[in-house]
């Protein structure tokens, strides 16, 4: 197995797994669709919804989703 990073959470990137992410609320832009992205971006995006940051991680915030 490849060396695991803390953000893998058991996910093997070589499997190209997908997930669904649905968001609503005051921090979310209405009608935004992100066609495809990596799962590692979900946690930093959820943190940003609450005005929190996650430093030193692999993922990035979906800025186009946020107001």
């Amino acid at each position: 197995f490849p060396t695991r990073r803390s953000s893998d959470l058991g996910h093997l990137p070589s499997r190209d797994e997908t997930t669904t992410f649905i968001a609503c609320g005051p921090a979310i832009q209405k009608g935004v669709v992100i066609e495809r992205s990596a799962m590692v971006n979900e946690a930093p995006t959820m943190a940003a919804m609450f005005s929190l940051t996650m430093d030193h991680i692999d993922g990035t915030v979906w800025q186009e989703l946020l107001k």
Side-chain angles (χ1 to χ4, degrees), residues 8-21:
D8 287 342
L9 300 175
H11 166 71
L12 296 175
S14 61
R15 291 186 53 189
D16 193 31
E17 296 172 347
T18 59
T19 187
T20 301
F21 183 86

Side-chain angles (χ1 to χ4, degrees), residues 49-62:
M49 290 172 165
F50 295 100
S51 300
L52 303 172
T53 60
M54 296 181 73
D55 298 326
H56 311 293
I57 60 169
D58 295 328
T60 58
V61 174
W62 291 317

